[in-house]
Amino acid sequence: MAYRYWCGECGFKTPWLTQSEGEQRQIEHYASRHPGIEPGGQVEVNRKNPGGSGGCLTAVAIVVLLLLVAASCHH
């Protein structure tokens, strides 16, 4: 899935990233813009565009479909 982190102190938000990349960007933002404040805010999850896991699932589905077509043409 893709995640977007929103700052709890200002209007900053990360782009859609993996969870670990988003967390790291939020930590970096707080360190530079809000030193001494614990990172907080909201995390938004993009379920419509899941990112890497959706691409992998699509690839597996295409491979299975191609195997079924190849098997049906073989007979």
Side-chain angles (χ1 to χ4, degrees):
M1 287 196 198
Y3 299 84
R4 181 163 48 191
Y5 286 74
W6 295 74
C7 178
E9 311 303 319
C10 68
F12 172 80
K13 62 183 173 189
T14 66
W16 292 107
L17 301 167
T18 64
Q19 186 174 11
S20 61
E21 291 172 326
E23 287 174 352
Q24 184 60 40
R25 293 258 186 111
Q26 185 183 42
I27 290 168
E28 291 168 359
H29 168 76
Y30 268 81
S32 67
R33 303 288 182 169
H34 313 291
I37 298 176
E38 188 81 21
Q42 297 179 350
V43 179
E44 185 177 2
V45 179
N46 187 348
R47 298 184 193 282
K48 293 180 183 177
N49 185 12
S53 62
C56 183
L57 183 59
T58 302
V60 170
I62 290 171
V63 168
V64 170
L65 181 62
L66 289 174
L67 287 173
L68 288 173
V69 169
S72 68
C73 292
H74 185 64
H75 292 287

Coordinates of all heavy atoms in Angstrom, one line a residue:
M1 N 0.8 -1.2 0.0 CA 0.0 0.0 0.0 C 0.9 1.2 0.0 O 2.0 1.2 0.4 CB -0.9 0.0 1.2 CG -2.0 -1.0 1.2 SD -3.2 -0.6 2.4 CE -4.0 -2.1 2.4
A2 N 0.3 2.3 -0.4 CA 1.0 3.6 -0.3 C 0.5 4.4 0.8 O -0.7 4.4 1.2 CB 0.8 4.3 -1.6
Y3 N 1.4 5.2 1.5 CA 1.1 5.9 2.6 C 1.5 7.4 2.4 O 2.5 7.7 1.8 CB 1.8 5.4 3.9 CG 1.4 4.0 4.2 CD1 2.0 2.9 3.6 CD2 0.4 3.7 5.1 CE1 1.7 1.6 3.8 CE2 0.1 2.4 5.4 CZ 0.7 1.3 4.8 OH 0.3 0.1 5.1
R4 N 0.7 8.3 3.0 CA 1.1 9.7 3.0 C 1.0 10.2 4.5 O 0.0 10.0 5.1 CB 0.2 10.5 2.1 CG 0.5 12.0 2.1 CD -0.1 12.7 0.9 NE -1.5 12.5 0.7 CZ -2.2 12.9 -0.3 NH1 -1.6 13.6 -1.3 NH2 -3.5 12.7 -0.4
Y5 N 2.1 10.8 4.9 CA 2.1 11.3 6.3 C 1.9 12.8 6.4 O 2.5 13.5 5.6 CB 3.5 10.9 6.9 CG 3.6 9.5 7.2 CD1 3.8 8.5 6.2 CD2 3.5 9.0 8.5 CE1 3.9 7.2 6.5 CE2 3.6 7.7 8.9 CZ 3.8 6.8 7.8 OH 3.9 5.4 8.1
W6 N 1.0 13.2 7.3 CA 0.7 14.6 7.5 C 1.3 15.1 8.8 O 1.2 14.4 9.8 CB -0.8 14.8 7.5 CG -1.5 14.5 6.3 CD1 -1.7 13.3 5.7 CD2 -2.1 15.4 5.4 NE1 -2.4 13.3 4.6 CE2 -2.7 14.7 4.3 CE3 -2.2 16.8 5.3 CZ2 -3.3 15.3 3.2 CZ3 -2.8 17.4 4.2 CH2 -3.4 16.6 3.2
C7 N 1.9 16.2 8.8 CA 2.5 16.8 10.0 C 1.4 17.3 10.9 O 0.4 17.8 10.4 CB 3.4 18.0 9.6 SG 4.1 18.8 11.0
G8 N 1.6 17.1 12.2 CA 0.6 17.6 13.2 C 0.8 19.0 13.6 O 0.0 19.6 14.3
E9 N 1.9 19.6 13.1 CA 2.2 21.0 13.5 C 2.0 22.0 12.4 O 1.8 23.2 12.7 CB 3.7 21.0 13.9 CG 4.1 20.0 14.9 CD 3.3 20.0 16.2 OE1 3.0 21.1 16.7 OE2 3.0 18.9 16.7
C10 N 2.1 21.6 11.1 CA 2.0 22.5 10.0 C 1.3 21.8 8.8 O 0.8 20.7 9.0 CB 3.3 23.1 9.6 SG 4.5 21.9 8.9
G11 N 1.3 22.3 7.7 CA 0.6 21.8 6.5 C 1.4 20.8 5.7 O 1.0 20.4 4.6
F12 N 2.6 20.4 6.2 CA 3.5 19.5 5.4 C 2.8 18.1 5.3 O 2.2 17.6 6.2 CB 4.8 19.3 6.2 CG 5.7 18.3 5.6 CD1 6.4 18.5 4.4 CD2 5.8 17.0 6.2 CE1 7.3 17.5 3.9 CE2 6.6 16.0 5.6 CZ 7.3 16.3 4.5
K13 N 3.0 17.5 4.1 CA 2.6 16.1 3.9 C 3.6 15.5 2.9 O 4.2 16.2 2.1 CB 1.2 16.0 3.3 CG 1.0 16.7 2.0 CD -0.4 16.6 1.5 CE -0.6 17.4 0.2 NZ -1.9 17.6 -0.2
T14 N 3.9 14.2 3.1 CA 4.8 13.5 2.3 C 4.1 13.1 1.0 O 2.8 13.1 1.0 CB 5.3 12.2 2.9 OG1 4.2 11.3 3.1 CG2 6.0 12.5 4.3
P15 N 4.8 12.8 -0.1 CA 4.1 12.2 -1.2 C 3.7 10.8 -0.9 O 4.1 10.3 0.2 CB 5.2 12.2 -2.3 CG 6.5 12.4 -1.6 CD 6.2 13.1 -0.3
W16 N 3.0 10.1 -1.8 CA 2.7 8.7 -1.5 C 3.9 7.9 -1.6 O 4.6 7.8 -2.6 CB 1.7 8.2 -2.6 CG 0.3 8.9 -2.4 CD1 -0.2 9.8 -3.3 CD2 -0.7 8.6 -1.4 NE1 -1.4 10.2 -2.8 CE2 -1.7 9.5 -1.7 CE3 -0.7 7.8 -0.3 CZ2 -2.9 9.5 -0.9 CZ3 -1.9 7.9 0.5 CH2 -2.9 8.7 0.2
L17 N 4.2 7.2 -0.5 CA 5.4 6.4 -0.3 C 5.1 5.1 0.4 O 4.0 4.9 0.8 CB 6.5 7.1 0.5 CG 6.9 8.5 0.0 CD1 7.7 9.3 1.1 CD2 7.8 8.3 -1.2
T18 N 6.1 4.2 0.5 CA 6.0 3.0 1.3 C 5.9 3.5 2.8 O 6.3 4.6 3.1 CB 7.2 2.1 1.1 OG1 8.4 2.7 1.6 CG2 7.3 1.6 -0.3
Q19 N 5.5 2.6 3.6 CA 5.3 3.0 5.0 C 6.7 3.4 5.6 O 6.7 4.5 6.3 CB 4.7 1.8 5.8 CG 4.4 2.2 7.3 CD 3.7 1.1 8.0 OE1 3.6 0.0 7.5 NE2 3.2 1.4 9.1
S20 N 7.7 2.7 5.4 CA 9.0 3.0 6.0 C 9.6 4.3 5.4 O 10.1 5.2 6.1 CB 10.0 1.9 5.8 OG 10.2 1.6 4.5
E21 N 9.4 4.6 4.1 CA 9.9 5.8 3.5 C 9.1 7.0 4.0 O 9.7 8.1 4.3 CB 9.8 5.8 2.0 CG 10.7 4.8 1.3 CD 10.4 4.6 -0.2 OE1 9.2 4.7 -0.6 OE2 11.3 4.4 -0.9
G22 N 7.8 6.9 4.2 CA 7.0 7.9 4.7 C 7.3 8.3 6.1 O 7.4 9.5 6.5
E23 N 7.5 7.3 6.9 CA 7.9 7.5 8.3 C 9.2 8.3 8.4 O 9.4 9.2 9.2 CB 8.0 6.2 9.1 CG 6.7 5.5 9.4 CD 6.9 4.1 10.0 OE1 8.0 3.6 10.1 OE2 5.9 3.6 10.4
Q24 N 10.2 7.8 7.6 CA 11.5 8.5 7.6 C 11.4 9.9 7.2 O 12.0 10.8 7.8 CB 12.5 7.7 6.6 CG 13.9 8.3 6.7 CD 14.5 8.2 8.1 OE1 14.3 7.2 8.8 NE2 15.2 9.2 8.4
R25 N 10.6 10.2 6.1 CA 10.4 11.6 5.7 C 9.8 12.5 6.8 O 10.1 13.6 7.0 CB 9.6 11.7 4.4 CG 10.3 11.1 3.2 CD 10.8 12.2 2.3 NE 11.3 11.6 1.1 CZ 10.7 11.7 -0.1 NH1 9.7 12.4 -0.3 NH2 11.3 11.1 -1.2
Q26 N 8.8 11.9 7.5 CA 8.2 12.6 8.5 C 9.2 12.9 9.7 O 9.2 14.0 10.2 CB 7.0 11.9 9.1 CG 6.2 12.7 10.1 CD 5.0 11.9 10.7 OE1 5.2 10.7 11.0 NE2 3.9 12.6 10.9
I27 N 10.0 11.9 10.0 CA 11.0 12.1 11.1 C 12.0 13.2 10.6 O 12.3 14.1 11.4 CB 11.7 10.8 11.4 CG1 10.8 9.8 12.1 CG2 13.0 11.1 12.2 CD1 11.3 8.4 12.1
E28 N 12.4 13.2 9.4 CA 13.3 14.2 8.9 C 12.7 15.6 8.9 O 13.3 16.6 9.3 CB 13.8 13.9 7.5 CG 14.7 12.7 7.4 CD 14.9 12.2 6.0 OE1 14.3 12.7 5.0 OE2 15.6 11.2 5.8
H29 N 11.4 15.7 8.5 CA 10.7 16.9 8.6 C 10.6 17.5 10.0 O 10.9 18.7 10.2 CB 9.2 16.8 8.0 CG 8.4 18.0 8.3 ND1 8.5 19.1 7.6 CD2 7.4 18.2 9.2 CE1 7.6 20.0 8.0 NE2 6.9 19.4 9.0
Y30 N 10.2 16.7 10.9 CA 10.2 17.1 12.3 C 11.5 17.6 12.8 O 11.6 18.6 13.6 CB 9.6 16.1 13.2 CG 8.1 16.2 13.4 CD1 7.2 15.7 12.4 CD2 7.5 16.8 14.5 CE1 5.8 15.9 12.5 CE2 6.1 17.0 14.6 CZ 5.3 16.5 13.6 OH 3.9 16.7 13.8
A31 N 12.6 16.9 12.5 CA 13.9 17.2 13.0 C 14.3 18.6 12.4 O 15.0 19.4 13.2 CB 14.9 16.1 12.5
S32 N 14.0 18.9 11.2 CA 14.4 20.2 10.6 C 13.5 21.3 10.9 O 13.9 22.4 11.1 CB 14.6 20.0 9.1 OG 13.4 19.8 8.4
R33 N 12.2 21.1 10.9 CA 11.2 22.1 11.1 C 10.6 22.3 12.5 O 10.2 23.4 12.9 CB 10.0 21.9 10.1 CG 10.4 21.8 8.7 CD 10.8 23.2 8.2 NE 11.1 23.0 6.7 CZ 11.3 24.0 5.9 NH1 11.2 25.3 6.4 NH2 11.5 23.8 4.7
H34 N 10.6 21.2 13.3 CA 10.0 21.2 14.6 C 10.9 20.5 15.6 O 10.5 19.5 16.2 CB 8.6 20.6 14.6 CG 7.7 21.1 13.5 ND1 7.2 22.3 13.4 CD2 7.3 20.4 12.4 CE1 6.5 22.4 12.3 NE2 6.5 21.3 11.7
P35 N 12.2 21.0 15.7 CA 13.1 20.2 16.6 C 12.6 20.2 18.1 O 12.0 21.1 18.6 CB 14.4 21.0 16.5 CG 14.0 22.4 16.0 CD 12.7 22.2 15.2
G36 N 12.8 19.0 18.7 CA 12.3 18.8 20.0 C 10.9 18.4 20.2 O 10.5 18.1 21.3
I37 N 10.2 18.3 19.1 CA 8.8 17.9 19.2 C 8.7 16.5 18.6 O 9.3 16.2 17.5 CB 7.8 18.8 18.4 CG1 7.9 20.2 19.0 CG2 6.4 18.3 18.3 CD1 7.1 21.2 18.2
E38 N 8.0 15.6 19.3 CA 7.8 14.2 18.8 C 7.0 14.2 17.6 O 6.0 14.9 17.5 CB 7.1 13.4 19.9 CG 7.0 12.0 19.7 CD 8.2 11.2 20.1 OE1 9.0 11.8 20.9 OE2 8.4 10.1 19.6
P39 N 7.4 13.4 16.5 CA 6.6 13.4 15.3 C 5.2 12.9 15.5 O 5.0 12.0 16.3 CB 7.4 12.4 14.4 CG 8.8 12.5 14.9 CD 8.7 12.7 16.4
G40 N 4.3 13.6 14.9 CA 2.9 13.3 15.1 C 2.1 13.7 13.8 O 2.7 14.0 12.8
G41 N 0.8 13.6 13.9 CA 0.0 14.0 12.8 C -0.9 12.8 12.4 O -1.2 11.9 13.2
Q42 N -1.2 12.7 11.1 CA -2.0 11.7 10.6 C -1.3 10.9 9.5 O -0.4 11.4 8.8 CB -3.3 12.3 10.0 CG -4.2 13.0 11.0 CD -5.4 13.6 10.3 OE1 -5.5 13.6 9.1 NE2 -6.3 14.1 11.1
V43 N -1.8 9.6 9.3 CA -1.3 8.8 8.2 C -2.5 8.5 7.3 O -3.5 8.0 7.8 CB -0.6 7.5 8.8 CG1 -0.2 6.6 7.6 CG2 0.5 7.8 9.7
E44 N -2.3 8.7 6.1 CA -3.4 8.5 5.1 C -2.9 7.2 4.3 O -1.8 7.1 3.8 CB -3.5 9.7 4.2 CG -4.7 9.6 3.2 CD -4.8 10.9 2.4 OE1 -4.0 11.8 2.6 OE2 -5.7 10.9 1.6
V45 N -3.8 6.3 4.1 CA -3.6 5.1 3.3 C -4.3 5.1 2.0 O -5.5 5.4 2.0 CB -4.0 3.8 4.1 CG1 -3.7 2.6 3.3 CG2 -3.3 3.8 5.5
N46 N -3.6 4.9 0.9 CA -4.2 4.9 -0.4 C -4.5 3.5 -0.8 O -3.7 2.7 -1.2 CB -3.2 5.5 -1.4 CG -3.8 5.7 -2.8 OD1 -4.9 5.2 -3.1 ND2 -3.1 6.5 -3.6
R47 N -5.8 3.2 -0.6 CA -6.2 1.8 -1.0 C -6.5 1.7 -2.4 O -6.6 0.5 -2.9 CB -7.4 1.4 -0.1 CG -7.1 1.4 1.4 CD -8.3 1.0 2.2 NE -8.1 1.3 3.6 CZ -7.4 0.5 4.4 NH1 -6.7 -0.5 4.0 NH2 -7.3 0.9 5.7
K48 N -6.8 2.8 -3.1 CA -7.1 2.7 -4.6 C -5.8 2.4 -5.4 O -5.9 1.8 -6.4 CB -7.7 4.0 -5.0 CG -9.1 4.2 -4.4 CD -9.6 5.5 -4.9 CE -11.0 5.8 -4.3 NZ -11.5 7.1 -4.7
N49 N -4.7 2.9 -5.0 CA -3.4 2.7 -5.7 C -2.4 2.1 -4.7 O -1.6 2.8 -4.1 CB -2.9 4.0 -6.2 CG -1.7 3.9 -7.1 OD1 -1.3 2.8 -7.4 ND2 -1.0 5.0 -7.3
P50 N -2.5 0.8 -4.5 CA -1.7 0.1 -3.5 C -0.2 0.1 -3.7 O 0.5 -0.2 -2.8 CB -2.2 -1.3 -3.4 CG -2.8 -1.5 -4.8 CD -3.3 -0.2 -5.3
G51 N 0.3 0.5 -4.9 CA 1.7 0.5 -5.1 C 2.3 -0.9 -5.4 O 1.7 -1.6 -6.2
G52 N 3.4 -1.2 -4.8 CA 4.1 -2.5 -5.1 C 3.3 -3.7 -5.0 O 3.4 -4.6 -5.8
S53 N 2.6 -3.9 -3.9 CA 1.8 -5.2 -3.7 C 0.8 -5.4 -4.8 O 0.6 -6.5 -5.2 CB 1.2 -5.2 -2.3 OG 0.3 -4.2 -2.2
G54 N 0.1 -4.3 -5.3 CA -0.9 -4.4 -6.3 C -0.2 -4.8 -7.6 O -0.8 -5.6 -8.4
G55 N 0.9 -4.3 -7.9 CA 1.6 -4.6 -9.2 C 2.0 -6.1 -9.2 O 1.9 -6.7 -10.2
C56 N 2.5 -6.6 -8.1 CA 2.9 -8.0 -8.0 C 1.6 -8.9 -8.1 O 1.7 -9.9 -8.9 CB 3.5 -8.2 -6.6 SG 4.1 -9.9 -6.4
L57 N 0.5 -8.5 -7.5 CA -0.7 -9.3 -7.7 C -1.2 -9.3 -9.1 O -1.6 -10.4 -9.6 CB -1.8 -8.7 -6.7 CG -3.1 -9.5 -6.7 CD1 -2.9 -10.9 -6.2 CD2 -4.1 -8.8 -5.8
T58 N -1.1 -8.2 -9.8 CA -1.5 -8.1 -11.2 C -0.6 -9.0 -12.0 O -1.0 -9.7 -12.9 CB -1.4 -6.7 -11.7 OG1 -2.3 -5.9 -10.9 CG2 -1.8 -6.5 -13.1
A59 N 0.7 -9.0 -11.8 CA 1.7 -9.8 -12.5 C 1.4 -11.3 -12.3 O 1.4 -12.1 -13.3 CB 3.1 -9.5 -12.1
V60 N 1.1 -11.7 -11.1 CA 0.7 -13.1 -10.9 C -0.5 -13.5 -11.6 O -0.6 -14.6 -12.2 CB 0.6 -13.3 -9.3 CG1 0.0 -14.7 -9.0 CG2 2.0 -13.2 -8.7
A61 N -1.5 -12.6 -11.6 CA -2.8 -12.9 -12.3 C -2.6 -13.0 -13.8 O -3.2 -13.9 -14.4 CB -3.8 -11.8 -12.0
I62 N -1.7 -12.2 -14.3 CA -1.4 -12.3 -15.8 C -0.7 -13.6 -16.1 O -1.1 -14.3 -17.1 CB -0.6 -11.1 -16.2 CG1 -1.5 -9.9 -16.2 CG2 0.0 -11.3 -17.6 CD1 -0.8 -8.6 -16.5
V63 N 0.2 -14.0 -15.3 CA 0.9 -15.3 -15.5 C 0.0 -16.5 -15.4 O 0.0 -17.4 -16.3 CB 2.1 -15.5 -14.5 CG1 2.7 -16.9 -14.5 CG2 3.2 -14.4 -14.7
V64 N -0.9 -16.5 -14.4 CA -1.9 -17.5 -14.3 C -2.8 -17.6 -15.5 O -3.1 -18.6 -16.1 CB -2.7 -17.4 -13.0 CG1 -3.9 -18.4 -13.0 CG2 -1.8 -17.6 -11.8
L65 N -3.3 -16.4 -16.0 CA -4.1 -16.4 -17.2 C -3.4 -16.9 -18.4 O -3.9 -17.7 -19.2 CB -4.6 -14.9 -17.4 CG -5.5 -14.7 -18.6 CD1 -6.8 -15.4 -18.4 CD2 -5.8 -13.2 -18.7
L66 N -2.1 -16.5 -18.6 CA -1.3 -17.0 -19.7 C -1.1 -18.5 -19.6 O -1.2 -19.2 -20.7 CB 0.0 -16.3 -19.8 CG 0.0 -14.8 -20.2 CD1 1.4 -14.2 -20.1 CD2 -0.5 -14.7 -21.6
L67 N -0.9 -19.1 -18.4 CA -0.8 -20.5 -18.3 C -2.1 -21.2 -18.7 O -2.1 -22.3 -19.3 CB -0.4 -20.9 -16.9 CG 1.0 -20.5 -16.5 CD1 1.3 -20.8 -15.0 CD2 2.0 -21.4 -17.3
L68 N -3.2 -20.6 -18.3 CA -4.5 -21.2 -18.6 C -4.7 -21.2 -20.1 O -5.2 -22.2 -20.7 CB -5.7 -20.5 -17.9 CG -5.8 -20.7 -16.4 CD1 -6.8 -19.8 -15.8 CD2 -6.1 -22.2 -16.1
V69 N -4.4 -20.1 -20.8 CA -4.5 -20.0 -22.2 C -3.6 -21.0 -22.9 O -4.0 -21.7 -23.8 CB -4.2 -18.6 -22.7 CG1 -4.1 -18.5 -24.2 CG2 -5.3 -17.6 -22.2
A70 N -2.4 -21.1 -22.5 CA -1.4 -22.1 -23.0 C -1.9 -23.5 -22.9 O -1.8 -24.3 -23.8 CB -0.1 -21.9 -22.4
A71 N -2.5 -23.8 -21.7 CA -2.9 -25.2 -21.4 C -4.2 -25.5 -22.3 O -4.3 -26.6 -22.8 CB -3.3 -25.3 -19.9
S72 N -5.0 -24.5 -22.5 CA -6.2 -24.8 -23.4 C -5.8 -24.9 -24.8 O -6.5 -25.6 -25.6 CB -7.3 -23.7 -23.1 OG -6.8 -22.5 -23.7
C73 N -4.8 -24.3 -25.3 CA -4.4 -24.4 -26.7 C -3.6 -25.6 -26.9 O -3.5 -26.1 -28.0 CB -3.5 -23.2 -27.0 SG -4.4 -21.6 -27.1
H74 N -3.0 -26.2 -25.9 CA -2.2 -27.4 -26.0 C -3.0 -28.6 -26.4 O -2.5 -29.5 -27.0 CB -1.4 -27.6 -24.7 CG -0.4 -28.7 -24.8 ND1 0.7 -28.7 -25.7 CD2 -0.3 -29.9 -24.2 CE1 1.4 -29.8 -25.6 NE2 0.8 -30.5 -24.6
H75 N -4.2 -28.7 -26.0 CA -5.0 -29.9 -26.2 C -5.5 -29.9 -27.5 O -6.1 -29.7 -28.3 CB -6.2 -30.0 -25.2 CG -5.7 -30.2 -23.8 ND1 -5.2 -31.4 -23.4 CD2 -5.6 -29.4 -22.7 CE1 -4.8 -31.4 -22.1 NE2 -5.0 -30.1 -21.7

